[in-house]
Amino acid sequence: MDFEFTKEQLMFKQEVIRFAKKEIVPRVQEFDLKEEFDFQSFRKMGEFGLLGLHFPEEYGGEGADVVTTVLAGEALGEAGVDGGLTLAYGAHTFLCADTLFRNGTEKQRKKYIPKLASGEWIGCMGLSEPDAGSDVASMTTTAEKKGDTYVLNGTKMWITNGPIADVAVVYAKTNPDLQHAGISAFIVEKGTPGFKPGNPLIKMGVRTSQTSELVFSNCEIPAENLLGNEGEGFLYAMQTVEWDRSALLAPFVGSANFLLKRCADYAKGRVQFGRPIAKFQAIKHKLADIRIFAEASKNLVYRIAWCKDQGRPLNHLEAAVAKLFVGDWSLPVTNDAVTLHGGYGYTHEFDVERIFRDSRLAPIGGGTSEVQKMIISKLI
């Protein structure tokens, strides 16, 4: 396994960092405080080519490999882009658009992928429900076939981009008796009668991402909006795990590098008891822990990306380890960053406060740490 990036990949990473620092980062604090989605930054990401990076050029993409795509996510985090925007980007590109691209018909691809790749449309995925998170098979949303339509009824919850999405990939049971095998996936567009997103939730962190429920009340959609075949929905949802454990974790890797630089600079400049606090062993240990987290996370995440590029089937144990490690260990690391800054770290003026809040989602979203441990122990 070769962990060396190509010259072109390293140059691309620097281009993304420069782009993000110029076009996105200056607006981060403003939108985090307002708890608003930054449409302008999102559209600029589309113009730059990030939203459709791994899709073929014929659909508006760049045809990039998985490692390069993950590298872009790391670059966004390293530039200082907030976790809300990177989360919205991940849900849009990998959970919605990629699922459409992988499993859609050519007609569906041509209709949706170019709009999603450019940022003209925003996408989301409706899988979790109020009483069905990690236990996907217990979902109660149904899709009943009636002639040339499907009628959807049910509620989805914790949906990133839910209030602002133009199109959603929605999972529902077409045969409730079959558990996982009875789940199917559907394409639902904004404005469809019977489909209504809820109001944005007020969250602790990732506050620029808009999260809500999706409500379906006798929502009729054309039968041609079925994605793939009936009963294949659970398989499609599991496909997203490969992205969730690589591209969606990548901004955390980049954010750790951003955090390390901020903490090191502060520690060298902050003088107490006649010398920079960077000279104290306790501070040195905190900086070392951040670096350890960044290096370990990077290796775990890029291993999954590399295997995906090689066409290897996802190793669920390695994927669960990556998700668990990045999720759980981001908390003490970001907590130490706040502590290192003292009282300043508790104020919004310093980025460490926002990063600390954003990191709290990591052990929860995309599969809790408890579920990852269950997977790991079962596979052992």
Side-chain angles (χ1 to χ4, degrees), residues 20-295:
K21 285 184 175 180
K22 178 183 177 182
E23 303 290 352
I24 301 176
V25 174
R27 302 158 60 82
V28 163
Q29 281 197 343
E30 173 191 353
F31 281 84
D32 182 68
L33 281 174
K34 295 191 299 183
E35 299 187 63
E36 292 181 5
F37 183 73
D38 188 352
F39 286 95
Q40 179 177 321
S41 291
F42 190 80
R43 308 294 187 207
K44 285 184 179 293
M45 288 173 67
E47 293 170 5
F48 190 81
L50 294 178
L51 301 182
L53 191 59
H54 73 288
F55 296 123
E57 293 182 10
E58 62 185 291
Y59 298 104
E62 303 292 333
D65 59 18
V66 179
V67 168
T68 302
T69 304
V70 171
L71 200 63
E74 181 187 347
L76 291 173
E78 189 168 329
V81 176
D82 66 286
L85 188 59
T86 57
L87 177 64
Y89 151 69
H92 166 91
T93 299
F94 306 112
L95 305 187
C96 177
D98 187 75
T99 303
L100 281 166
F101 175 75
R102 283 202 201 194
N103 307 296
T105 63
E106 186 61 17
K107 181 180 178 181
Q108 290 170 337
R109 288 181 177 182
K110 288 182 176 179
K111 180 178 181 181
Y112 296 108
I113 302 302
K115 291 180 179 180
L116 293 168
S118 68
E120 178 186 350
W121 277 25
I122 297 175
C124 72
M125 179 184 78
L127 179 63
S128 296
E129 297 184 358
D131 297 315
S134 299
D135 184 11
V136 176
S138 67
M139 72 169 59
T140 58
T141 298
T142 59
E144 184 180 357
K145 183 76 177 291
K146 291 187 176 181
D148 58 355
T149 65
Y150 282 93
V151 181
L152 274 63
N153 281 287
T155 301
K156 297 297 179 180
M157 191 59 171
W158 318 116
I159 309 305
T160 301
N161 297 341
I164 58 175
D166 298 283
V167 62
V169 172
V170 179
Y171 295 87
K173 283 188 175 178
T174 46
N175 191 330
D177 297 329
L178 296 182
Q179 297 297 309
H180 294 89
I183 298 173
S184 303
F186 300 89
I187 304 169
V188 184
E189 294 185 20
K190 180 176 68 175
T192 302
F195 168 43
K196 181 181 179 181
N199 294 322
L201 300 172
I202 299 173
K203 307 187 298 296
M204 173 192 292
V206 295
R207 303 199 310 185
T208 63
S209 69
Q210 300 291 285
T211 308
S212 73
E213 63 180 0
L214 303 179
V215 180
F216 302 90
S217 179
N218 293 321
C219 175
E220 291 190 20
I221 60 171
E224 64 181 22
N225 280 29
L226 172 69
L227 195 58
N229 301 307
E230 283 194 12
E232 295 180 348
F234 182 74
L235 298 177
Y236 302 162
M238 291 302 98
Q239 287 174 355
T240 66
V241 171
E242 295 178 333
W243 288 115
D244 190 75
R245 306 300 184 258
S246 56
L248 270 76
L249 291 179
F252 285 97
V253 176
S255 184
N257 291 324
F258 175 83
L259 202 64
L260 180 60
K261 186 177 187 309
R262 286 299 172 95
C263 288
D265 288 345
Y266 182 83
K268 287 186 290 185
R270 175 67 169 172
V271 176
Q272 291 288 281
F273 304 102
R275 56 177 174 163
I277 64 173
K279 297 291 186 179
F280 294 98
Q281 187 180 56
I283 301 301
K284 290 180 179 180
H285 286 182
K286 293 184 190 302
L287 295 173
D289 285 342
I290 299 174
R291 181 58 186 265
I292 292 167
F293 170 75
E295 289 297 319

Side-chain angles (χ1 to χ4, degrees), residues 273-338:
F273 304 102
R275 56 177 174 163
I277 64 173
K279 297 291 186 179
F280 294 98
Q281 187 180 56
I283 301 301
K284 290 180 179 180
H285 286 182
K286 293 184 190 302
L287 295 173
D289 285 342
I290 299 174
R291 181 58 186 265
I292 292 167
F293 170 75
E295 289 297 319
S297 298
K298 184 173 184 177
N299 280 283
L300 289 168
V301 168
Y302 278 102
R303 178 180 176 86
I304 295 171
W306 181 84
C307 287
K308 187 172 172 61
D309 270 334
Q310 302 304 309
R312 298 187 180 186
L314 178 66
N315 183 318
H316 287 280
L317 191 148
E318 290 182 353
V321 168
K323 174 63 171 65
L324 176 71
F325 181 84
V326 175
D328 277 7
W329 285 97
S330 66
L331 299 183
V333 164
T334 54
N335 182 64
D336 278 351
V338 171

